[in-house]
Every structure is written in structure tokens, then in C-alpha cells.
Amino acid sequence: MERVHELLGRMLFMRRFEERVIELFEQEQFEGHYHVYNGQEATALGAMDAVPRDDYMYTTHRNHGHLLARGADPVALMAEILGKANGLVGGRGGSYHAAWPEGNVPVTSALVAGNIPQAAGTALAAKRRGTGQVVVCWFGDGAVEEGAFYETMNLSALWKLPVLYLCENNSVPARYRAMGQYPSSTHAAPALTEVVRPFGIESHAVDGTDYDAVHDLVRQLMERLHRGEGPFFIEARTSRWPGSYGVWPQLTGGRFQIGWVFDPASAPEVVREWTTESDPIVLLARRALERGAIDRQGLEALDREQSTAVDRVVEAALAAPDPRPEDTFRHVLR
Ligand SMILES: Cc1ncc(C[n+]2csc(CCOP(=O)(O)OP(=O)(O)O)c2C)c(N)n1
Ligand SMILES: [Mg+2]
């Protein structure tokens, strides 16, 4: 009971965090492109709860959820998105290049598939140095169309690199998430799990809206990676949040309302089907309600708590200082 409570709380925190990011962008509080993690919360939390802190994580343009799940300080992450001096990397990276070196997150690659060779290089270094560290590399289904992906799969298999390749295929309709074969929207393979098998890389598909399924699979594969097996490939299947259909995130349908859990028909039409069939928060909350692990009052209170926590994060990040002009060339090779 405690656990589902805590998990729903963490998912709601991520959701409210991203909603505020969209609003802050619309209020011109920061510039530059960015993406949000709405709808994939269960995947990041399920996976990151199974990855030891000593191991590395490489992330993508959809990095906020990965960083939060990894345990990055939300104020420092929000401050980084806003370009503030106390951001994760001093406000120099913004959303697209946030990193958390202390948390073994060396860099975000906003280049689709750009982080895949980097992750393999880090794994090669760890292997040669005998540090015992493993690398988790996130990417989207789009990265499986890139040449860098195939070169890296080949070398990873040849060199038996300790990497968990974690592909988030967010183009899967609800009914295909847990079963059957489903490709990405723009890949010729019958399923993304097939793509790495000719390299001899073991691969698995998992329903990315199911925290427990993701967690169990990642935990098992991480244990095996630490024993020297691998590399491994996971395709975590989710269905794209309508607010992420376009090139720029939009708060489509407005902020998520906890009432939609109880009455999905009350959700605006643009998000109704997704909310009903694919929102990992709604799916988990409904299961918890059915078995009496939480009640309506408890869920509403949880959401209020998390919304307030995010409001505090935003206030702190907005109040943080901008980088000083005299620091412009710090860390720059000249
Ligand atoms: C090499 C490269 N090509 C194109 C882009 C522009 N771009 C940014 S996100 C994106 C879609 C990536 O799809 P996917 O990897 O499935 O991730 P998703 O956005 O679905 O999470 C593209 C094409 C890019 N950043 N890098
Ligand atoms: Mg995708």
C-alpha cells in the first residue's frame, strides 16, 4: 500500500513538473527547444529504481523524466532548464544538454542516437579499467533508424560491452503494448526487438506503462550485466501523449486532472482515449483503487501534495540567480 502510494506520488511529481515546464516556456521564462516526458513516467522509474548509483546513465532529448528518476535534484534540473547559475551544469546546457556528472549522467545528447556510441565508449572504458560499472543507454524508437545505432550494436556485441540499451518505443497503440509484434511507426522491421538479434544481442519487449514489469526486467538484466553478460536490448512500449505529437510540446487538453481517473469521459476529447487506455498514472491509480490500496480522497491529497512540491521547485528555480557575465568563458577552451 505504501509502495503504490509512493510510486503514484513520484509519477504525479514528474507529470506536474513537465506541465510547469511547458507553462514556463509559454511564459517565455526560457528559450530553446525542449521535450517533456509525459506518459513514460513508469518506464523511467521502473528502470532507474533497478540501476545502482555507481552505474552510468546516458539520456536523450526527453531527459527530464530520466534525470528525475535517477534522483537528480528537481530544483537544479528546473534551474538548468531555465538557464540559471545553480542549474545541474550551471545553466550552460539547458534542457537539451542537461547533465549530472555527480550522478554518473555525463551528458544529454539531443542528437537522436548521438548518445549510443558515447554509452558504448564509456562501457568500453569501464571494462578496460575493470571498474565493474555498467551503462544504461536510453533512446527512442527513432534512434533505431540511425546508422550510429547499427555500428554500435555491432561493436557492443563483438566486445561484449556491459550496456543495457533501453529503447523507448512511444509509437505503440495501446492494444500492442503488452503482446504481439509491433514495429515503430517508421521502421521496416516487424518488431524493434528483432533488429538486434542478428548481432547476437538478447532482446526483450516490455509494457512501458507497467512499473513492475519494467522494474523486474531491468533488475534481472542489470544483475546479469554485473556478472559480465550482455549487452542487452529492451524495447519499452508506450503510447505517445497527445501533447507530444507536434514538434513543440503543447499542454493539450490542459493540465492533467486527477478526476479523470474516476471519470475518463470527463477528460477533453483530445486526450480522452489516451487518458483512458495509455496514461500510466491513470492505469496504475485505477489498479490501486480496484484493490483498495488507495481511495479517492487519498489520491486527491497525493496529487495536491505533489503539485505543491512542484510549485516550490519552480519558485526556487525562478528565484535563482542568472549566470554571471564574467563567468561566460569559464570551462571554455580558448
Ligand atoms: C540526428 C537527428 N536527427 C533529427 C533530429 C530532430 N529530432 C528531434 S526528436 C526527433 C524524434 C525522435 O524520435 P524518437 O527517437 O522515437 O524519440 P521520441 O521523440 O519519440 O521520444 C527528431 C527527428 C535530431 N535531434 N537528431
Ligand atoms: Mg519515439
Side-chain angles (χ1 to χ4, degrees):
M1 179 167 166
E2 268 306 301
R3 210 183 70 84
V4 78
H5 208 86
E6 188 207 322
L7 180 56
L8 278 167
R10 291 197 293 158
M11 289 168 76
L12 283 163
F13 182 89
M14 279 187 181
R15 180 67 55 88
R16 299 308 185 194
F17 185 99
E18 295 291 49
E19 289 175 350
R20 292 302 305 271
V21 169
I22 297 174
E23 290 170 358
L24 288 163
F25 180 78
E26 285 170 359
Q27 293 156 12
E28 301 186 359
Q29 292 288 352
F30 70 97
E31 291 179 33
H33 208 197
Y34 71 105
H35 288 277
V36 293
Y37 199 65
N38 299 35
Q40 295 170 218
E41 292 90 346
T43 314
L45 288 166
M48 282 301 120
D49 284 354
V51 173
R53 265 300 172 82
D54 279 347
D55 292 331
Y56 286 97
M57 181 184 95
Y58 275 85
T59 174
T60 66
H61 58 286
R62 221 173 274 291
N63 55 4
H64 306 164
H66 300 154
L67 283 159
L68 289 173
R70 176 75 175 174
D73 173 16
V75 175
L77 174 59
M78 189 61 90
E80 187 56 46
I81 294 166
L82 298 177
K84 300 288 190 159
N86 65 338
L88 284 174
V89 285
R92 283 155 193 274
S95 170
Y96 261 9
H97 300 286
W100 185 31
E102 301 79 12
N104 285 334
V105 185
V107 70
T108 287
S109 174
L111 272 184
V112 171
N115 60 346
I116 300 176
Q118 292 173 332
T122 301
L124 179 62
K127 188 170 175 164
R128 285 200 176 161
R129 289 178 181 156
T131 65
Q133 287 162 298
V134 164
V135 182
V136 174
C137 180
W138 293 102
F139 48 91
D141 48 290
V144 183
E145 299 161 28
E146 297 287 334
F149 173 84
Y150 293 90
E151 294 177 36
T152 311
M153 290 308 118
N154 183 43
L155 290 176
S156 300
L158 280 174
W159 297 340
K160 299 200 177 355
L161 297 181
V163 190
L164 179 58
Y165 291 107
L166 235 165
C167 174
E168 292 185 87
N169 186 356
N170 56 2
S171 69
V172 183
R175 66 186 180 284
Y176 290 108
R177 271 197 310 266
M179 37 74 83
Q181 291 212 318
Y182 191 81
S184 88
S185 46
T186 50
H187 203 289
L192 296 186
T193 45
E194 295 298 323
V195 168
V196 296
R197 287 189 178 137
F199 296 99
I201 296 176
E202 185 180 313
S203 79
H204 302 263
V206 68
D207 180 346
T209 66
D210 183 340
Y211 172 95
D212 288 327
V214 174
H215 185 71
D216 289 348
L217 179 60
V218 172
R219 190 171 38 75
Q220 283 171 34
L221 296 182
M222 287 302 292
E223 280 170 16
R224 290 175 58 195
L225 282 160
H226 278 283
R227 289 202 299 266
E229 296 177 44
F232 298 115
F233 177 95
I234 293 178
E235 178 199 356
R237 296 171 171 176
T238 51
S239 313
R240 202 180 192 84
W241 173 56
S244 289
Y245 284 168
V247 174
W248 290 88
Q250 300 285 326
L251 202 43
T252 303
R255 286 190 188 187
F256 169 70
Q257 302 295 318
I258 207 73
W260 299 346
V261 171
F262 307 94
D263 180 14
S266 66
E269 204 185 331
V270 274
V271 290
R272 193 175 302 147
E273 188 182 329
W274 183 84
T275 299
T276 313
E277 296 179 0
S278 302
D279 183 341
I281 296 180
V282 173
L283 297 177
L284 178 64
R286 254 199 250 135
R287 286 200 300 271
L289 286 161
E290 271 163 25
R291 47 170 229 276
I294 196 164
D295 59 15
R296 182 168 188 149
Q297 260 189 330
L299 193 57
E300 286 170 351
L302 194 60
D303 183 42
R304 275 195 303 276
E305 262 167 44
Q306 299 305 321
S307 298
T308 307
V310 170
D311 289 346
R312 292 211 187 95
V313 165
V314 174
E315 272 166 39
L318 282 171
D322 289 324
R324 299 182 309 172
E326 55 268 38
D327 288 339
T328 304
F329 294 108
R330 273 188 77 201
H331 310 301
V332 176
L333 289 178
R334 287 191 286 171

